[in-house]
Amino acid sequence: MKAVTYQGAKDIQVKQVEDPTLQKKDDIIVRITSTAICGSDLHIYLGAMPAHKDYVIGHEPMGIVEEVGPDVTKVKKGDRVVLPFNISCGHCYYCEHDMESQCDNSNPHKEQADTGGYFGFTERYGNYPGGQAELLRVPYGNFMPFVIPESCEIEDEGLLFMSDVLPTAYWSVENSGVKEGDTVVVLGCGPVGLMTQKFAWMKGATRVIAVDNIPYRLNHAKKMNNVEIINFDQHEDTGMYIKEITKGGADVVIDCVGMDGKKNMMEKVEQKLKLQGGTLSAIQIGMNSVRKFGTMQLTGVYGSTYNMFPLGNIFERNITVKTGQAPVIHYMPMLFDKIANKEFDPTEIITHKVPLDQASEAYKMFYEHEDDVIKVVLKP
């Protein structure tokens, strides 16, 4: 089959690799019909998250069930399914309590990370080949797949982001405690940031402020979500500016940027030397813009080590910090219903649809912010 593979930093190639096979009795094989490039994939693309050569990447897939193991009863050949990026068993403590992103049985590499497993996220997170491919082996076939009803006529693009973007954004708003009347600041106007802005309004926020430094992304946020927009390059201290215009700070700040924010020279050097996991710029903006007793939700991915983390100021101002990978599976039925009822339109974030063969060029475009790209859908 054809698959998007890692060959080295900034070297992504579509290659012929072996077809996946059933390995356990509850595995399924899915023929991928649509997948997408995520900002998290750029950590692998840049070499910041070590992967071995020829590793198949990608964690936002959907498709048609091609083969099922003998113990699989939830799906059958021919079913159309969306697959969550979380690898989740369905029967451990975490899966049974709606915390599927920390499944106890999905990551055999406990010595590297006591965390859950994810499609296409390197050996550290279970070494599961990703979904930017023609075929995908899916473990735990009786728990993971979301089966799209046969009567559903919504095209792939309207459902694909149930795999990651939509549940991550919805969970970010819910986990941060956004409530009616809140002022919410969303750092980042990529796909997750855009949907987070939309869901903040839907949760009852009365003011939503979007922060980025890329003009076309800010314009997309304003057009799509009717938010206030702030270009952080235009302010000496964006956090303090937000604190001023909100008269004391936002109730909730949701960081959808993470380690990929704008780095200063010292952070660039420290990251190359593996002394720093990335930039703290988003956290610094968030800390200065949130009110006392407010909440900062860190949804953007962060690396392992951070110097000069402003813990003291967070502590003395009673700021609550929440973080982590979103649990996806239990949100999928609710999000499907909202999409089917036309409460929102996920396709608003799509700017490019390209064949899987063009993945290398698409990654470069996505990383370089070319052609006003927001979200790229790959079609095997």
Side-chain angles (χ1 to χ4, degrees):
M1 69 171 183
K2 291 180 181 178
V4 180
T5 65
Y6 176 82
Q7 300 299 319
K10 294 187 179 180
D11 186 4
I12 297 294
Q13 296 179 22
V14 178
K15 296 183 65 175
Q16 287 286 342
V17 302
E18 288 188 11
D19 288 358
T21 59
L22 298 175
Q23 297 180 20
K24 295 184 178 180
K25 291 183 178 181
D26 61 348
D27 285 351
I28 65 174
I29 303 295
V30 175
R31 181 167 296 279
I32 303 302
T33 55
S34 296
T35 183
I37 300 175
C38 177
S40 300
D41 295 328
L42 293 181
H43 305 148
I44 302 172
Y45 173 75
L46 295 172
M49 188 176 290
H52 59 76
K53 189 175 180 179
D54 291 332
Y55 183 73
V56 179
I57 57 181
H59 59 271
E60 297 178 302
M62 68 177 293
I64 307 297
V65 176
E66 187 89 352
E67 190 176 354
V68 300
D71 289 354
V72 174
T73 57
K74 180 178 180 179
V75 299
K76 64 184 183 302
K77 183 176 180 178
D79 281 348
R80 188 177 175 220
V81 295
V82 181
L83 303 166
F85 81 90
N86 305 152
I87 307 292
S88 312
C89 72
H91 54 76
C92 70
Y93 171 85
Y94 295 96
C95 288
E96 289 179 346
H97 290 82
D98 292 343
M99 296 183 284
E100 306 95 336
S101 58
Q102 297 297 335
C103 172
D104 248 351
N105 296 314
S106 62
N107 188 358
H109 303 290
K110 298 293 186 183
E111 71 283 358
Q112 292 192 39
D114 183 18
T115 181
Y118 315 114
F119 280 124
F121 244 68
T122 76
E123 186 176 273
R124 180 178 178 86
Y125 299 107
N127 202 31
Y128 294 92
Q132 292 173 8
E134 292 180 317
L135 294 166
L136 178 67
R137 169 188 165 252
V138 181
Y140 307 117
N142 288 319
F143 184 65
M144 287 184 52
F146 177 84
V147 182
I148 302 166
E150 292 183 10
S151 59
C152 177
E153 296 181 353
I154 301 172
E155 294 185 356
D156 279 13
E157 288 77 7
L159 302 172
L160 174 61
F161 306 131
M162 288 165 53
S163 59
D164 180 1
V165 173
L166 300 180
T168 293
Y170 198 92
W171 171 80
S172 297
V173 170
E174 190 171 77
N175 195 56
S176 65
V178 174
K179 61 186 183 301
E180 191 167 340
D182 277 353
T183 293
V184 179
V185 171
V186 179
L187 305 180
C189 293
V192 172
L194 289 168
M195 294 311 306
T196 297
Q197 296 157 23
K198 186 175 293 292
F199 291 144
W201 284 128
M202 291 170 68
K203 276 288 186 180
T206 54
R207 190 174 185 183
V208 180
I209 301 170
V211 181
D212 206 303
N213 72 331
I214 301 174
Y216 79 81
R217 299 209 319 179
L218 287 164
N219 292 337
H220 198 104
K222 187 173 182 63
K223 179 181 177 181
M224 174 177 160
N225 293 320
N226 194 30
V227 293
E228 296 174 56
I229 57 174
I230 295 175
N231 186 327
F232 66 76
D233 281 342
Q234 296 177 356
H235 300 275
E236 185 174 346
D237 189 327
T238 300
M240 295 306 292
Y241 172 72
I242 294 172
K243 186 176 182 179
E244 180 183 343
I245 66 172
T246 56
K247 296 180 171 55
D251 300 288
V252 174
V253 175
I254 303 177
D255 168 19
C256 299
V257 180
M259 61 191 269
D260 294 324
K262 190 173 182 179
K263 301 177 183 67
N264 61 38
M265 186 56 66
M266 183 62 71
E267 288 172 331
K268 290 179 181 177
V269 172
E270 288 180 335
Q271 189 171 22
K272 285 186 179 297
L273 295 174
K274 300 192 184 304
L275 300 174
Q276 180 89 330
T279 182
L280 284 171
S281 59
I283 290 175
Q284 289 162 346
I285 292 174
M287 181 191 70
N288 289 338
S289 62
V290 71
R291 66 166 172 79
K292 293 179 285 188
F293 274 95
T295 297
M296 287 175 57
Q297 165 73 35
L298 307 184
T299 297
V301 175
Y302 280 93
S304 55
T305 302
Y306 285 84
N307 303 316
M308 304 298 290
F309 185 82
L311 182 60
N313 192 251
I314 289 171
F315 171 82
E316 66 190 2
R317 294 176 60 226
N318 284 78
I319 297 170
T320 297
V321 179
K322 296 185 175 184
T323 73
Q325 295 277 14
V328 168
I329 295 174
H330 73 279
Y331 282 105
M332 295 175 84
M334 175 270 293
L335 289 166
F336 174 79
D337 288 343
K338 288 183 178 297
I339 295 167
N341 293 332
K342 299 183 179 180
E343 294 181 36
F344 67 95
D345 179 9
T347 66
E348 287 184 295
I349 64 175
I350 299 172
T351 54
H352 295 75
K353 289 189 285 185
V354 302
L356 188 73
D357 287 340
Q358 296 177 17
S360 181
E361 297 89 339
Y363 264 91
K364 180 180 182 299
M365 174 180 66
F366 191 56
Y367 173 66
E368 300 287 350
H369 300 297
E370 298 172 346
D371 197 31
D372 290 0
V373 63
I374 298 286
K375 188 67 172 177
V376 180
V377 173
L378 300 174
K379 306 294 283 189

